[in-house]
Amino acid sequence: MAKVLTYGMVGGGPGSFIGDAHRRAIALDGKAKIVAGVFSSSQEKSLQTAAELHIDKTRCYRDYLEMAEKEGARADGIDFVVVVTPNFTHYDICKAFLNAGINVACDKPVTTSYAQAKELQNLAEEKGLLFLVTYTYMGHVTAKCAQELIRRGDIGEVRTVMAEYPQGWLAFEDDIGGKQGEWRCDPNRSGGVNCLGDLGTHVENAVATMTGLKIKRVLARMDVVVPGRVLDDNDAVLVEYETGATGIYWSSQVAIGSDNSLRVRIYGSKGTILWFQEESEKLTVIDTDGTIRTIHRGYGDVPESAAKYGRLPAGHTEGWLEAMGNLYRSFIGCILAHEGGTFTEALIDYPTIEAGVEGLAFVEACLESSQAGNVWVNVQH
Amino acid sequence: MAKVLTYGMVGGGPGSFIGDAHRRAIALDGKAKIVAGVFSSSQEKSLQTAAELHIDKTRCYRDYLEMAEKEGARADGIDFVVVVTPNFTHYDICKAFLNAGINVACDKPVTTSYAQAKELQNLAEEKGLLFLVTYTYMGHVTAKCAQELIRRGDIGEVRTVMAEYPQGWLAFEDDIGGKQGEWRCDPNRSGGVNCLGDLGTHVENAVATMTGLKIKRVLARMDVVVPGRVLDDNDAVLVEYETGATGIYWSSQVAIGSDNSLRVRIYGSKGTILWFQEESEKLTVIDTDGTIRTIHRGYGDVPESAAKYGRLPAGHTEGWLEAMGNLYRSFIGCILAHEGGTFTEALIDYPTIEAGVEGLAFVEACLESSQAGNVWVNVQH
Amino acid sequence: MAKVLTYGMVGGGPGSFIGDAHRRAIALDGKAKIVAGVFSSSQEKSLQTAAELHIDKTRCYRDYLEMAEKEGARADGIDFVVVVTPNFTHYDICKAFLNAGINVACDKPVTTSYAQAKELQNLAEEKGLLFLVTYTYMGHVTAKCAQELIRRGDIGEVRTVMAEYPQGWLAFEDDIGGKQGEWRCDPNRSGGVNCLGDLGTHVENAVATMTGLKIKRVLARMDVVVPGRVLDDNDAVLVEYETGATGIYWSSQVAIGSDNSLRVRIYGSKGTILWFQEESEKLTVIDTDGTIRTIHRGYGDVPESAAKYGRLPAGHTEGWLEAMGNLYRSFIGCILAHEGGTFTEALIDYPTIEAGVEGLAFVEACLESSQAGNVWVNVQH
Amino acid sequence: MAKVLTYGMVGGGPGSFIGDAHRRAIALDGKAKIVAGVFSSSQEKSLQTAAELHIDKTRCYRDYLEMAEKEGARADGIDFVVVVTPNFTHYDICKAFLNAGINVACDKPVTTSYAQAKELQNLAEEKGLLFLVTYTYMGHVTAKCAQELIRRGDIGEVRTVMAEYPQGWLAFEDDIGGKQGEWRCDPNRSGGVNCLGDLGTHVENAVATMTGLKIKRVLARMDVVVPGRVLDDNDAVLVEYETGATGIYWSSQVAIGSDNSLRVRIYGSKGTILWFQEESEKLTVIDTDGTIRTIHRGYGDVPESAAKYGRLPAGHTEGWLEAMGNLYRSFIGCILAHEGGTFTEALIDYPTIEAGVEGLAFVEACLESSQAGNVWVNVQH
């Protein structure tokens, strides 16, 4: 009988979509059970969520510091914590749990500065702990398929990339009002970027994951489109990779009619791969001779390394939740392997703190470029 | 703190995709917990699944009869049972649990004959029990949206319907071999139909659910396409509704390249609705003047009766699992209301045994029509 | 210097879309020049069109009888006539020109009865004249591609066909008014069918052309949906081919939002072909293993027999006009070969009077079936 | 009886796709007839084409200088000339015909330098002659529709634009060989740019036409991707308009699987417009509330200023040829109005030499930017 891990959560109280989503995603496989948490800064709301989740009152803590300390001290303390608070709080929370010897799963962007992210990376390494950054979209079977096809050379050497993530939910002046919009557009809580941190990092991570390319330098133009805003809501970035290949990244919150329209198009010397998050059950692969093939999840064209994540036969649509579930599947598998002494780096098939660090390096280089009048800036690694 | 129901399962042992799927779907909302079951005819395999699900050994029964008896007798017995065995066993199992006073959720088609289905309907009514038949696709938010738009008259009076469900998984002679294919194509276990029972009933239910139309009569041609088979694998049905409107239903297992391609096109006197299961995040509505509107789950065009089932914001794709979860959401809500004394028929927003009965009436009329040389046969109600 | 043929037209006067379309299509290749005609039953209107087309007044005739006689008698008489009048007049006009020794291109359906069509076929044969029936859609490069792929066995033996042609332009009661709608819905001028003659014959011809299958028998339900009409506006036909394969044909004029939505889906023992008239620049081919390939006009996957009709490189979209032009290209090529003594049957790559006869045989069998209460009726050949 | 204009052509000899295309496009309306030309630098080939086109030998000239002189001197000389030679020859040829008092239609880019284009503009103005630059794609009814919807404010103020034109035909090293590829990649004949001149100017013109925005400055990165080439084959341009709105333009010849994939996405303060050249029969308009509407050519949503160019009812697909025909329709209409003394600027509904000048201004600014290391460069107007 397989061991069931236990976990706790910081954030995800009443009305939180993202906390709920993480819990559902973890529940998909039944390999981990929530037993502790700080769900809200309001103790009352926190207890309400704890009750709904059938969590013992004594493990519903006042704050994350108490939680890290007490869970770290328990013999049956949580195996990992899920951090789903606003970006600017990630750093302190993650640090506390790492210091308490607890593995961490944290929403992206993992911190609001490169230095902080790097510090968490070093800390996790030092403590021998695992760290998942939930770039959810990369959990899609088709994203993993694209990654493997490119890795094994199906489209040759990557030459140029067009990648974008437009949304429309902040297209209007009074959209600043919503709770989400409020902190995202507030420089004190968002760490100097809004759109680029929220969406641009997804673009950066998607391309990095699929192609394996490292960015050498960026030239960014970050604009504030909607009057009254302080932080960027539309960003164009020219990218040069270490191989000499080039890319264009676009992210926007003012593209009316776009939802989570993360789209990656990768052009290689022998073919092309087109991937669109909102239609993630399929992938388009274009061969050297121009033949366009649509690959469906669940078919033989999907390599085993990707196909194994499919939970449902082709035709039974999977979505975003399954994608997130897939990240946790690998993360939980690694924790179990770790505890069982069978862990190796090769088991890791989820975005780690390293991906988080890359994201912040990208953001900081873009900020510097944009502020300097759109000039090339090297990205730290 | 909301009560959590308990449930048991018959079927769904090692390697069963459908049992696993039901459990994941129920887990989405955390409103019911599995505590009992007979997962396989092999006691060993059954215990293996029980262990994986952390079910107490004493509630892993030898057979469904024992389970129905003992769970029915316990003070803390299960609130409902989920039946996910092959079609031909549904009737006996459901009857046993109804007789034991336990609510039932059963896969479709609910039995292999109209008479049996009708008997279950009467039994459930007599016992005052709830009965969910898991026509999963109708749980999609967009399917519910189509249903509501038609109900409120957006496309006027329905004139004609084109509905189809092609699959390709049984297109080849040696496809009979798989375990699924084996019993589906075996007349002793499938009850005289293969494709029409598996897929045709989904078509029938989808149109009935969305349009509210009752079928008056059918003219069916059920063919065996792949050599060596006994039961139908490709079916064409002409349909006449009680209103005088007409329909064409096509279901097939030999359509290479089709997965779960349930597609419903409904043409009314004032507009048109197009719905496709494999792209269930959107719905196409055509207005009287020919304007084509694409409605996305999560937008204002979706009426509240449908929108409330969305778990994720637009752009975070939902799929088949959420659709099934939505059926259970309403079913579990009704059980709770029942237990709390607040239940009314109006709360039911899932396919009941009545839908199951309609499905069998459709199948039997088609069989009679096909055997009589493709003549019109009235459908019982 | 290549010879330029001359042609005349019956119909196609002021405001006629279809006459204009034929002239533009023929003009695409510059291989034939219009020099004669009767463009309207009003002499004045006819002369107006003649003037616009720079046709000598003396060759603008009072009626088709005069035109057939005089053009047949001239040494430099027209090489072919284009007949674009309402259906019920085709027979008399075509007969007159055939009797005058002039090749004929006629819109479909070629007559309003099987007997008439057969008579024209015999007459053309007897006189050694060529006869094009303008089933325009079959001129698309991708339609020819589908035809060739099936002929050479790419999808194996055809098992079942889903073919349809919905339109929405006659969806409303007052749509009877328009000039087109008026004669189409008038039994005296349409020959007993409306929708089936206009659209159903396109479906029949498209499937016959692509698959080469001959229909053995049909079971048809022809309905009048819009109140106040006499002739069918929505038709469902079950089809059985001589090979035992089956088909479903649907045609409709009440499908709001549909334009010329001729769609053919052909399922074989080794693969599938999907073709949609409104997106005729591409073709979908599904291989035995379920791989979905999108084939674009202009690529190597398109066999030479089809590719040679492309006038523009891939990406420069071709449409309906080019499709019609392709029919004329082959027709004119055959006339030239005929005159030059190099003609063989193998040169014919356009729908002939034989296709016209098949269309009427299909219509008459469907009418008989529908009137007899939807029973199987054999199709004459 | 409407006057038929006469025209001549420079270029478009045996095997020339583009010359043939212009002639077919002009033939669509029958308003102008070809009567003169220099079709090839080889006199023999030129005469061959003249013969095929039934042009009098005496009007098949040795070179364009002779043609301009003689046609300019004839009482019945051509009304306009069509120039379809390689880009680097446009300037001299156009100048000769303008000097001879003959209206000019010329392929784009109209010259290889801004100075030359400006000179032609001044010359045309001085001589009172009309000048069409055949940016063909802007002739599509849906492109004109987008233009009108934006002009009248349907999507509010334009905020940002994503526009691209990827092709794949020069993706490989040995693709330099073809005749087209040869001169395009040759700096002596292409004027310093390859991809940006051929494709980037289409992007620039499409956005300018649809939005009416003027570019203030550009920041370009022009890359040579395929080894062995001298001129750019992949270009990224950041654009800033005079209004402060921004844009990203991408053009490429190494995007395997792309044909003429000109795609323009325009995001405004009140909505969004999406247009794709390869599916030009439709246009997507997204309203402020996120409703996605698909507008088909031929429906009431298309304003009359665009709809009037449709030659075929909706469903009868139109393509690239009709788009080019639409440019000539307006151009020929203007020449006739000019000759008839009824001409006003408001009649012009085609890209003029002014659009040609803008194109060259864009190219030169991009070249300067790219060579200076991707810095902002102002665009001349």
Side-chain angles (χ1 to χ4, degrees):
Chain A
M1 180 172 153
K3 189 188 166 191
V4 173
L5 299 183
T6 60
Y7 74 97
M9 183 173 275
V10 182
S16 157
F17 136 68
I18 197 71
D20 207 36
H22 280 251
R23 293 190 298 257
R24 290 183 205 273
I26 295 170
L28 281 178
D29 288 326
K31 305 286 189 205
K33 200 180 143 187
I34 187 163
V35 297
V38 181
F39 301 101
S40 169
S41 51
S42 142
Q43 176 78 346
E44 194 192 331
K45 287 186 185 170
S46 194
L47 280 165
Q48 179 192 330
T49 299
E52 281 165 6
L53 297 171
H54 311 287
I55 290 174
D56 194 298
K57 252 187 208 173
T58 62
R59 293 177 87 174
C60 179
Y61 301 96
R62 258 170 325 173
D63 56 38
Y64 70 86
L65 287 170
E66 187 199 26
M67 178 173 162
E69 187 194 339
K70 296 220 171 134
E71 288 293 328
R74 284 178 77 117
D76 67 345
I78 53 175
D79 294 288
F80 65 95
V81 67
V82 174
V83 181
V84 287
T85 53
N87 302 345
F88 70 99
T89 67
H90 289 175
Y91 166 71
D92 286 332
I93 299 172
C94 291
K95 197 161 100 174
F97 283 92
L98 291 174
N99 276 323
I102 295 168
N103 300 298
V104 173
C106 181
D107 232 353
K108 45 66 46 189
V110 69
T111 62
T112 53
S113 81
Y114 174 79
Q116 290 175 339
K118 200 76 195 170
E119 197 187 325
L120 293 182
Q121 182 181 18
N122 293 337
L123 186 56
E125 213 161 288
E126 186 189 305
K127 298 277 182 179
L129 291 167
L130 298 174
F131 201 122
L132 161 68
V133 182
T134 50
Y135 286 101
T136 306
Y137 305 126
M138 290 305 96
H140 282 299
V141 170
T142 49
K144 290 181 180 293
C145 178
Q147 180 180 358
E148 174 60 14
L149 297 188
I150 293 169
R151 197 203 53 75
R152 75 186 193 195
D154 281 23
I155 64 164
E157 206 179 328
V158 173
R159 288 168 159 185
T160 198
V161 173
M162 270 298 281
E164 63 190 47
Y165 192 156
Q167 289 188 334
W169 72 294
L170 287 173
F172 308 107
E173 292 196 40
D174 43 20
D175 286 345
I176 312 180
K179 200 179 165 188
Q180 272 270 329
E182 207 182 314
W183 72 255
R184 289 210 181 278
C185 296
D186 175 356
N188 294 323
R189 288 182 284 174
S190 265
V193 286
N194 162 29
C195 180
L196 195 77
D198 192 23
L199 309 184
T201 51
H202 272 302
V203 175
E204 178 273 327
N205 179 255
V207 177
T209 304
M210 288 185 186
T211 66
L213 291 173
K214 288 233 175 262
I215 298 177
K216 186 181 165 198
R217 55 181 192 152
V218 295
L219 183 160
R221 172 166 179 150
M222 300 168 64
D223 284 306
V224 178
V225 170
V226 176
R229 234 167 244 165
V230 176
L231 297 181
D232 64 304
D233 49 19
N234 191 71
D235 307 298
V237 186
L238 302 186
V239 173
E240 187 179 303
Y241 305 100
E242 290 184 345
T243 61
T246 59
I248 299 174
Y249 294 178
W250 172 53
S251 49
S252 181
Q253 290 160 334
V254 302
I256 295 174
S258 298
D259 292 333
N260 289 8
S261 303
L262 175 61
R263 191 186 295 267
V264 178
R265 296 181 280 170
I266 303 167
Y267 301 90
S269 56
K270 288 166 56 183
T272 295
I273 276 189
L274 312 174
W275 183 82
F276 181 34
Q277 193 283 125
E278 295 189 11
E279 296 179 2
S280 61
E281 288 287 272
K282 58 190 181 191
L283 180 72
T284 302
V285 180
I286 304 175
D287 299 330
T288 310
D289 65 359
T291 298
I292 301 167
R293 285 183 294 128
T294 305
I295 293 182
H296 279 218
R297 186 182 61 74
Y299 277 88
D301 279 343
V302 180
E304 181 51 25
S305 62
K308 70 179 179 198
Y309 286 97
R311 289 174 172 85
L312 301 173
H316 301 78
T317 52
E318 293 191 352
W320 184 86
L321 207 63
E322 282 90 348
M324 185 179 277
N326 293 341
L327 302 188
Y328 277 107
R329 177 179 286 190
S330 177
F331 180 59
I332 289 171
C334 285
I335 295 177
L336 284 165
H338 219 268
E339 297 183 354
T342 61
F343 176 78
T344 68
E345 292 280 331
L347 285 176
I348 295 181
D349 193 19
Y350 59 83
T352 67
I353 180 67
E354 200 189 324
V357 170
E358 293 291 318
L360 271 302
F362 171 75
V363 166
E364 294 198 351
C366 288
L367 265 175
E368 187 184 334
S369 169
S370 193
Q371 283 158 3
N374 325 121
V375 299
W376 287 104
V377 169
N378 286 338
V379 173
Q380 309 174 65
H381 288 295
Chain B
M1 176 173 156
K3 189 188 165 191
V4 172
L5 300 183
T6 60
Y7 74 98
M9 184 173 274
V10 183
S16 157
F17 136 68
I18 196 73
D20 206 37
H22 281 250
R23 293 190 298 257
R24 289 183 205 273
I26 295 170
L28 281 177
D29 288 325
K31 305 287 189 204
K33 199 181 144 186
I34 188 163
V35 297
V38 181
F39 301 100
S40 168
S41 51
S42 142
Q43 177 77 347
E44 194 191 330
K45 287 186 183 168
S46 194
L47 281 165
Q48 179 192 331
T49 299
E52 281 165 6
L53 298 170
H54 310 287
I55 290 173
D56 192 300
K57 251 189 209 171
T58 63
R59 292 177 88 173
C60 179
Y61 301 97
R62 257 170 325 173
D63 55 39
Y64 70 86
L65 287 170
E66 187 199 26
M67 176 173 163
E69 188 193 339
K70 297 217 170 136
E71 288 293 328
R74 285 177 78 117
D76 67 344
I78 53 175
D79 294 288
F80 65 96
V81 67
V82 174
V83 181
V84 288
T85 54
N87 302 345
F88 70 100
T89 67
H90 290 173
Y91 167 70
D92 287 332
I93 299 171
C94 291
K95 198 159 97 174
F97 283 92
L98 290 175
N99 275 323
I102 295 168
N103 299 298
V104 172
C106 181
D107 232 352
K108 48 63 48 189
V110 69
T111 62
T112 55
S113 81
Y114 173 78
Q116 289 174 341
K118 198 76 195 171
E119 198 187 322
L120 293 182
Q121 182 180 19
N122 292 337
L123 187 57
E125 212 162 288
E126 186 188 306
K127 298 277 184 181
L129 292 167
L130 297 173
F131 201 122
L132 161 67
V133 182
T134 50
Y135 286 102
T136 305
Y137 305 125
M138 290 305 96
H140 282 300
V141 170
T142 49
K144 290 179 181 294
C145 177
Q147 181 180 356
E148 174 61 12
L149 298 187
I150 293 171
R151 196 202 55 73
R152 74 186 194 195
D154 281 24
I155 63 164
E157 206 179 328
V158 173
R159 288 168 159 186
T160 199
V161 173
M162 271 299 281
E164 64 191 47
Y165 192 156
Q167 289 187 335
W169 71 296
L170 287 172
F172 308 107
E173 291 194 43
D174 43 18
D175 285 346
I176 312 181
K179 201 182 168 187
Q180 273 269 328
E182 207 181 315
W183 72 257
R184 289 210 182 278
C185 295
D186 175 355
N188 294 322
R189 288 182 284 174
S190 266
V193 287
N194 162 28
C195 179
L196 195 77
D198 192 23
L199 308 183
T201 53
H202 272 302
V203 175
E204 178 274 327
N205 178 255
V207 177
T209 303
M210 289 184 185
T211 66
L213 291 174
K214 287 234 175 261
I215 298 178
K216 185 181 165 200
R217 55 179 194 154
V218 294
L219 185 160
R221 173 166 178 151
M222 300 168 63
D223 285 305
V224 177
V225 169
V226 175
R229 236 167 243 167
V230 177
L231 297 180
D232 65 302
D233 50 18
N234 191 71
D235 306 297
V237 186
L238 302 186
V239 174
E240 188 180 304
Y241 304 100
E242 290 184 346
T243 60
T246 58
I248 299 174
Y249 293 178
W250 171 53
S251 48
S252 182
Q253 289 160 335
V254 302
I256 295 174
S258 299
D259 292 333
N260 289 8
S261 303
L262 175 61
R263 191 185 295 265
V264 178
R265 297 181 280 170
I266 302 167
Y267 300 90
S269 57
K270 288 166 57 184
T272 295
I273 278 190
L274 311 174
W275 183 81
F276 181 34
Q277 193 288 121
E278 294 189 12
E279 296 179 1
S280 61
E281 288 287 272
K282 58 190 180 189
L283 179 72
T284 302
V285 180
I286 305 175
D287 300 330
T288 309
D289 66 357
T291 298
I292 300 167
R293 285 183 294 128
T294 304
I295 294 181
H296 278 219
R297 187 181 62 73
Y299 276 87
D301 280 342
V302 180
E304 180 51 25
S305 62
K308 70 180 179 197
Y309 286 97
R311 288 177 173 82
L312 302 173
H316 301 77
T317 52
E318 293 190 351
W320 184 86
L321 206 65
E322 282 91 347
M324 185 178 279
N326 293 341
L327 300 189
Y328 278 108
R329 177 180 286 189
S330 177
F331 180 60
I332 288 170
C334 286
I335 295 176
L336 285 164
H338 220 269
E339 296 183 355
T342 60
F343 177 76
T344 68
E345 292 279 331
L347 285 176
I348 295 181
D349 193 19
Y350 59 83
T352 67
I353 180 67
E354 200 189 323
V357 170
E358 292 291 318
L360 271 301
F362 171 75
V363 166
E364 294 199 353
C366 287
L367 265 174
E368 188 185 332
S369 169
S370 194
Q371 283 159 4
N374 326 121
V375 298
W376 288 104
V377 169
N378 285 337
V379 173
Q380 309 175 63
H381 288 296
Chain C
M1 175 172 156
K3 188 187 165 190
V4 172
L5 299 184
T6 61
Y7 75 98
M9 184 173 274
V10 183
S16 158
F17 136 68
I18 197 71
D20 207 37
H22 280 251
R23 292 189 298 257
R24 289 183 205 274
I26 295 170
L28 281 178
D29 288 325
K31 304 286 190 204
K33 197 180 146 186
I34 188 163
V35 297
V38 182
F39 301 101
S40 169
S41 51
S42 142
Q43 177 76 347
E44 194 191 331
K45 287 185 184 170
S46 194
L47 281 165
Q48 179 192 332
T49 299
E52 281 165 7
L53 298 171
H54 310 288
I55 290 173
D56 193 299
K57 251 189 211 172
T58 63
R59 292 177 88 173
C60 179
Y61 301 97
R62 258 168 325 170
D63 57 39
Y64 70 86
L65 287 170
E66 187 198 27
M67 176 173 164
E69 187 194 340
K70 296 219 171 134
E71 289 294 328
R74 284 177 79 117
D76 67 344
I78 53 175
D79 293 287
F80 65 96
V81 67
V82 174
V83 181
V84 287
T85 54
N87 301 345
F88 69 100
T89 66
H90 290 173
Y91 167 71
D92 287 332
I93 299 171
C94 291
K95 198 160 98 173
F97 283 92
L98 290 175
N99 275 324
I102 294 167
N103 300 297
V104 172
C106 181
D107 232 350
K108 48 61 49 190
V110 69
T111 62
T112 54
S113 82
Y114 174 79
Q116 289 174 343
K118 200 76 195 172
E119 198 187 324
L120 293 182
Q121 182 181 19
N122 292 337
L123 187 57
E125 212 161 288
E126 188 188 304
K127 298 276 183 182
L129 292 167
L130 298 173
F131 201 122
L132 161 67
V133 182
T134 50
Y135 286 101
T136 306
Y137 305 125
M138 290 304 97
H140 282 300
V141 169
T142 49
K144 290 180 180 295
C145 177
Q147 180 181 356
E148 174 61 12
L149 297 188
I150 293 171
R151 197 201 55 72
R152 75 187 193 195
D154 281 23
I155 63 164
E157 206 179 327
V158 173
R159 288 169 159 186
T160 198
V161 173
M162 271 299 281
E164 64 191 46
Y165 192 157
Q167 289 187 335
W169 71 296
L170 288 173
F172 308 107
E173 291 195 42
D174 43 18
D175 285 346
I176 311 181
K179 200 182 168 188
Q180 273 269 328
E182 207 181 314
W183 72 256
R184 289 210 181 278
C185 295
D186 175 356
N188 293 323
R189 288 182 284 174
S190 265
V193 287
N194 162 29
C195 179
L196 195 78
D198 192 23
L199 309 183
T201 51
H202 272 302
V203 175
E204 178 273 328
N205 178 255
V207 177
T209 303
M210 289 184 186
T211 66
L213 290 174
K214 287 234 174 258
I215 299 178
K216 185 182 164 199
R217 54 180 194 153
V218 294
L219 185 161
R221 174 166 178 151
M222 300 169 62
D223 284 306
V224 177
V225 170
V226 176
R229 235 167 243 166
V230 177
L231 297 180
D232 65 301
D233 50 17
N234 191 70
D235 307 296
V237 186
L238 302 186
V239 174
E240 187 180 304
Y241 304 100
E242 290 184 347
T243 61
T246 59
I248 299 174
Y249 293 178
W250 172 51
S251 48
S252 182
Q253 290 161 333
V254 301
I256 295 174
S258 298
D259 292 333
N260 289 9
S261 303
L262 175 61
R263 190 185 295 266
V264 178
R265 297 181 281 170
I266 302 167
Y267 300 90
S269 57
K270 289 165 57 184
T272 295
I273 278 190
L274 311 174
W275 183 82
F276 181 34
Q277 193 285 123
E278 295 189 11
E279 296 179 1
S280 61
E281 288 287 273
K282 60 191 179 190
L283 179 71
T284 302
V285 180
I286 305 175
D287 300 330
T288 309
D289 66 357
T291 298
I292 300 167
R293 286 184 292 129
T294 304
I295 294 182
H296 278 218
R297 186 182 62 74
Y299 276 88
D301 279 342
V302 180
E304 180 51 26
S305 62
K308 70 180 180 197
Y309 285 97
R311 289 176 172 83
L312 302 172
H316 301 77
T317 52
E318 293 190 351
W320 184 87
L321 207 64
E322 281 90 348
M324 185 179 277
N326 292 342
L327 301 188
Y328 278 108
R329 178 180 285 190
S330 177
F331 180 60
I332 288 170
C334 285
I335 295 177
L336 285 165
H338 220 269
E339 297 183 353
T342 60
F343 177 76
T344 68
E345 292 280 331
L347 285 176
I348 295 181
D349 194 17
Y350 59 83
T352 66
I353 180 67
E354 200 189 323
V357 170
E358 291 291 317
L360 270 302
F362 171 75
V363 166
E364 293 199 353
C366 287
L367 264 175
E368 188 184 333
S369 168
S370 194
Q371 283 158 4
N374 325 121
V375 298
W376 287 104
V377 169
N378 286 337
V379 173
Q380 309 175 63
H381 288 297
Chain D
M1 178 171 152
K3 188 189 166 189
V4 172
L5 299 183
T6 59
Y7 74 97
M9 184 173 274
V10 183
S16 157
F17 136 68
I18 197 70
D20 207 35
H22 280 251
R23 292 189 300 256
R24 289 183 206 273
I26 296 170
L28 281 178
D29 288 325
K31 305 286 190 205
K33 199 180 145 187
I34 186 162
V35 298
V38 181
F39 301 101
S40 169
S41 51
S42 142
Q43 176 77 346
E44 194 192 330
K45 287 186 185 171
S46 194
L47 280 166
Q48 179 192 332
T49 298
E52 281 165 6
L53 298 172
H54 310 286
I55 290 173
D56 194 299
K57 251 187 209 173
T58 62
R59 293 176 88 173
C60 179
Y61 301 97
R62 257 168 327 171
D63 56 40
Y64 71 86
L65 287 170
E66 187 198 28
M67 178 173 163
E69 187 195 341
K70 296 220 170 133
E71 288 293 327
R74 285 178 78 115
D76 66 346
I78 52 174
D79 294 288
F80 65 96
V81 68
V82 175
V83 180
V84 287
T85 53
N87 302 344
F88 70 100
T89 67
H90 290 174
Y91 167 72
D92 288 331
I93 299 172
C94 292
K95 198 161 100 174
F97 283 91
L98 291 174
N99 276 323
I102 295 168
N103 300 298
V104 172
C106 180
D107 232 352
K108 46 64 48 188
V110 69
T111 62
T112 53
S113 81
Y114 173 79
Q116 290 174 341
K118 200 76 195 171
E119 197 187 325
L120 293 183
Q121 182 181 17
N122 293 337
L123 186 56
E125 213 162 288
E126 186 189 305
K127 298 277 182 179
L129 292 168
L130 298 173
F131 201 122
L132 161 68
V133 182
T134 50
Y135 286 101
T136 305
Y137 304 125
M138 289 305 97
H140 282 299
V141 170
T142 49
K144 290 181 180 293
C145 177
Q147 180 180 357
E148 174 60 14
L149 297 187
I150 293 170
R151 196 202 54 74
R152 75 188 193 194
D154 281 24
I155 63 164
E157 207 178 327
V158 173
R159 288 168 158 185
T160 198
V161 174
M162 270 297 281
E164 63 190 48
Y165 192 156
Q167 289 187 334
W169 71 295
L170 287 173
F172 307 106
E173 292 196 41
D174 43 20
D175 286 345
I176 312 180
K179 200 181 167 187
Q180 272 269 330
E182 207 182 316
W183 72 255
R184 289 210 181 277
C185 296
D186 175 356
N188 294 323
R189 288 181 283 173
S190 265
V193 286
N194 163 28
C195 179
L196 194 78
D198 191 23
L199 308 184
T201 52
H202 272 301
V203 175
E204 178 273 326
N205 178 256
V207 177
T209 303
M210 289 185 186
T211 66
L213 291 173
K214 288 232 175 261
I215 298 177
K216 186 181 165 199
R217 55 181 193 152
V218 295
L219 184 160
R221 174 167 177 150
M222 300 168 63
D223 284 306
V224 177
V225 170
V226 176
R229 234 166 244 167
V230 176
L231 297 180
D232 64 304
D233 49 18
N234 191 72
D235 307 298
V237 186
L238 302 186
V239 173
E240 187 179 303
Y241 304 100
E242 291 183 346
T243 61
T246 58
I248 299 174
Y249 294 177
W250 173 53
S251 49
S252 182
Q253 290 160 334
V254 301
I256 295 174
S258 299
D259 292 334
N260 288 9
S261 303
L262 175 61
R263 191 186 295 266
V264 179
R265 296 181 281 170
I266 303 166
Y267 301 90
S269 57
K270 288 166 57 184
T272 295
I273 277 189
L274 312 174
W275 183 81
F276 181 34
Q277 193 283 123
E278 294 189 12
E279 296 179 1
S280 61
E281 288 287 272
K282 59 190 181 191
L283 180 72
T284 301
V285 180
I286 304 175
D287 300 329
T288 309
D289 65 359
T291 299
I292 301 167
R293 285 183 293 128
T294 305
I295 294 182
H296 278 219
R297 186 182 62 72
Y299 276 88
D301 280 343
V302 180
E304 181 51 26
S305 62
K308 70 179 180 198
Y309 286 98
R311 289 174 172 84
L312 301 173
H316 301 77
T317 52
E318 293 190 352
W320 185 86
L321 207 64
E322 281 90 348
M324 185 179 278
N326 293 341
L327 302 188
Y328 277 107
R329 177 179 285 190
S330 177
F331 180 60
I332 289 171
C334 286
I335 295 177
L336 284 164
H338 220 269
E339 296 183 354
T342 60
F343 177 77
T344 69
E345 292 280 330
L347 284 177
I348 295 181
D349 193 18
Y350 59 83
T352 66
I353 180 67
E354 200 189 324
V357 170
E358 292 292 316
L360 270 302
F362 172 75
V363 166
E364 294 198 353
C366 287
L367 265 174
E368 187 184 334
S369 169
S370 194
Q371 282 158 4
N374 325 121
V375 299
W376 288 104
V377 170
N378 286 339
V379 173
Q380 310 175 64
H381 288 294

